[in-house]
Amino acid sequence: MPAEADIRGNLAAVRERVDAACVAAGRAPDEVELLLATKTQPAARIAEAVAAGARLIGENRVQELAEKDEELTALAAGHAFERHFIGHLQSNKVNQVLRYVGCVQSVDGAELAGRLQRRLETLDRTLDVLVQVNTSGEPSKSGASPADAVAVVQQVAAHDRLRVRGLMTVGLQSPDEAAVRASYRALRELRDRAADAVGTGLPVLSMGMSGDLEAAVAEGATLVRIGSAVFGERARTA
Ligand SMILES: *Cc1c(COP(=O)(O)O)cnc(C)c1O
């Protein structure tokens, strides 16, 4: 596991990669934000990243959000940061997730949208959301199918407590760069169609990870989700 100095250095190196990818694509570096994917990382290491300037933290499991919350809040006191939910959200975890996050990136259909809406009415608040699309078509991946994505965005946008900000995808895991780029291009094209359909801008495209952020930035990513390039390789769970 990298020590604190490494987290800071790794974060700077990733930011440099993003900036270089923006320049190569003729885009302004400030168009792309970094979100740190912190699954399996202890609160102390997440707090080190926050102290080093990370502003967006993404968790995949509600249980990890809950377990790390108290320590992270204490250790990162004085630094502004926001947590997003980036994993598959089970309906029975909706009430709990809303205690921790300012954005759910993994809304995949009308049922989850309806549950979020009802809970947000009770809490009298709103929530930023992204609609997750399974652009790779791999059955193991969550998200709406590309064929349903525009309709799902319309259904989600019909809920007045949900502010649809854009789309998210995990993308294709493949050494074939052209195929990876095509999956990110597909998300951008769906975003453009969905924005026309709902009549509002959908500025956020959450796509790109440690291994392929350059391809995602070239295809218009505005938020890349980075884990291993900052925290090191995750221990493999059997
Ligand atoms: C783990 C994870 C990432 C980051 O993956 P790395 O390859 O470690 O950068 C991004 N998005 C989601 C949804 C993840 O679960």
Side-chain angles (χ1 to χ4, degrees), residues 37 39 60 86-87 168 170 208-211 225-229 232 234:
K39 56 179 173 278
N60 296 62
I86 62 172
M168 182 272 237
V170 173
M209 312 198 293
S210 295
R225 306 181 309 270
I226 305 299
S228 52
R234 284 177 292 278

Short mmCIF file of all heavy atoms in Angstrom, two decimals, residues 37 39 60 86-87 168 170 208-211 225-229 232 234, ligand 1:
data_model
loop_
_atom_site.label_atom_id
_atom_site.label_comp_id
_atom_site.label_asym_id
_atom_site.label_seq_id
_atom_site.Cartn_x
_atom_site.Cartn_y
_atom_site.Cartn_z
N ALA A 37 -12.30 6.57 -6.44
CA ALA A 37 -13.07 5.36 -6.13
C ALA A 37 -12.36 4.68 -4.96
O ALA A 37 -11.23 4.21 -5.10
CB ALA A 37 -13.12 4.45 -7.34
N LYS A 39 -13.37 2.11 -2.79
CA LYS A 39 -13.81 0.80 -2.26
C LYS A 39 -12.61 0.06 -1.67
O LYS A 39 -11.52 0.11 -2.24
CB LYS A 39 -14.47 -0.03 -3.35
CG LYS A 39 -13.62 -0.27 -4.58
CD LYS A 39 -14.37 -1.14 -5.59
CE LYS A 39 -13.63 -1.25 -6.90
NZ LYS A 39 -13.83 -0.11 -7.80
N ASN A 60 -18.83 2.15 -3.48
CA ASN A 60 -19.68 1.19 -4.18
C ASN A 60 -20.68 0.49 -3.28
O ASN A 60 -21.60 -0.14 -3.77
CB ASN A 60 -18.82 0.07 -4.80
CG ASN A 60 -17.90 0.58 -5.86
OD1 ASN A 60 -17.03 1.40 -5.58
ND2 ASN A 60 -18.09 0.13 -7.08
N ILE A 86 -21.43 4.99 -6.31
CA ILE A 86 -21.10 4.56 -7.68
C ILE A 86 -21.30 3.06 -7.89
O ILE A 86 -20.92 2.53 -8.93
CB ILE A 86 -19.66 4.96 -8.07
CG1 ILE A 86 -18.62 4.30 -7.15
CG2 ILE A 86 -19.49 6.48 -8.04
CD1 ILE A 86 -17.16 4.52 -7.61
N GLY A 87 -21.89 2.38 -6.91
CA GLY A 87 -22.12 0.93 -7.06
C GLY A 87 -23.58 0.62 -7.33
O GLY A 87 -24.41 1.53 -7.49
N MET A 168 -23.60 7.91 -16.62
CA MET A 168 -22.40 7.23 -16.11
C MET A 168 -22.31 5.86 -16.77
O MET A 168 -23.33 5.23 -17.05
CB MET A 168 -22.54 7.07 -14.59
CG MET A 168 -21.35 6.42 -13.91
SD MET A 168 -21.40 4.63 -13.81
CE MET A 168 -21.26 4.40 -12.04
N VAL A 170 -19.53 2.19 -16.76
CA VAL A 170 -18.28 1.54 -16.37
C VAL A 170 -17.45 1.20 -17.62
O VAL A 170 -16.24 1.06 -17.53
CB VAL A 170 -18.55 0.31 -15.48
CG1 VAL A 170 -17.28 -0.47 -15.19
CG2 VAL A 170 -19.20 0.74 -14.18
N GLY A 208 -14.45 6.56 -17.50
CA GLY A 208 -13.00 6.52 -17.49
C GLY A 208 -12.50 6.13 -16.11
O GLY A 208 -13.00 6.62 -15.10
N MET A 209 -11.53 5.19 -16.06
CA MET A 209 -10.95 4.72 -14.82
C MET A 209 -9.42 4.78 -14.95
O MET A 209 -8.89 5.34 -15.91
CB MET A 209 -11.44 3.31 -14.52
CG MET A 209 -12.96 3.21 -14.67
SD MET A 209 -13.73 1.78 -13.87
CE MET A 209 -13.08 0.45 -14.83
N SER A 210 -8.70 4.18 -13.99
CA SER A 210 -7.24 4.31 -14.00
C SER A 210 -6.62 3.90 -15.33
O SER A 210 -5.68 4.53 -15.81
CB SER A 210 -6.63 3.45 -12.89
OG SER A 210 -7.02 3.93 -11.63
N GLY A 211 -7.12 2.80 -15.92
CA GLY A 211 -6.47 2.25 -17.09
C GLY A 211 -6.84 2.90 -18.41
O GLY A 211 -6.15 2.68 -19.42
N ARG A 225 -13.36 8.41 -12.77
CA ARG A 225 -13.41 7.74 -11.47
C ARG A 225 -12.15 6.88 -11.32
O ARG A 225 -11.97 5.91 -12.04
CB ARG A 225 -14.66 6.88 -11.37
CG ARG A 225 -15.96 7.63 -11.65
CD ARG A 225 -17.15 6.70 -11.51
NE ARG A 225 -16.96 5.48 -12.27
CZ ARG A 225 -17.32 5.29 -13.55
NH1 ARG A 225 -17.94 6.26 -14.20
NH2 ARG A 225 -17.07 4.16 -14.16
N ILE A 226 -11.29 7.27 -10.36
CA ILE A 226 -9.96 6.69 -10.28
C ILE A 226 -9.75 5.99 -8.94
O ILE A 226 -9.92 6.60 -7.89
CB ILE A 226 -8.89 7.81 -10.43
CG1 ILE A 226 -9.10 8.60 -11.73
CG2 ILE A 226 -7.48 7.23 -10.34
CD1 ILE A 226 -8.99 7.78 -12.99
N GLY A 227 -9.35 4.74 -8.99
CA GLY A 227 -9.03 4.00 -7.77
C GLY A 227 -7.56 3.61 -7.73
O GLY A 227 -6.74 4.25 -7.06
N SER A 228 -7.21 2.56 -8.46
CA SER A 228 -5.88 1.95 -8.31
C SER A 228 -4.73 2.89 -8.66
O SER A 228 -3.65 2.77 -8.08
CB SER A 228 -5.80 0.66 -9.13
OG SER A 228 -6.19 0.89 -10.45
N ALA A 229 -4.90 3.82 -9.57
CA ALA A 229 -3.79 4.72 -9.93
C ALA A 229 -3.41 5.63 -8.76
O ALA A 229 -2.30 6.17 -8.73
CB ALA A 229 -4.14 5.56 -11.15
N GLY A 232 -3.13 2.29 -5.36
CA GLY A 232 -2.42 1.03 -5.61
C GLY A 232 -3.44 -0.05 -5.96
O GLY A 232 -4.65 0.14 -5.84
N ARG A 234 -5.86 -3.09 -5.77
CA ARG A 234 -6.67 -3.66 -4.69
C ARG A 234 -6.32 -5.12 -4.50
O ARG A 234 -6.02 -5.82 -5.45
CB ARG A 234 -8.17 -3.58 -5.05
CG ARG A 234 -8.75 -2.20 -4.91
CD ARG A 234 -10.20 -2.18 -5.33
NE ARG A 234 -10.36 -2.40 -6.76
CZ ARG A 234 -10.23 -1.47 -7.69
NH1 ARG A 234 -9.92 -0.23 -7.34
NH2 ARG A 234 -10.40 -1.75 -8.96
C1 LIG B 1 -13.36 0.64 -8.72
C2 LIG B 1 -14.15 1.52 -9.61
C3 LIG B 1 -13.54 2.52 -10.37
C4 LIG B 1 -12.04 2.76 -10.39
O1 LIG B 1 -11.37 1.70 -10.96
P1 LIG B 1 -9.74 1.72 -11.06
O2 LIG B 1 -9.49 0.85 -12.21
O3 LIG B 1 -9.24 1.20 -9.77
O4 LIG B 1 -9.34 3.12 -11.30
C5 LIG B 1 -14.36 3.33 -11.15
N1 LIG B 1 -15.70 3.16 -11.19
C6 LIG B 1 -16.32 2.21 -10.48
C7 LIG B 1 -17.80 2.08 -10.57
C8 LIG B 1 -15.57 1.36 -9.67
O5 LIG B 1 -16.19 0.39 -8.98
#
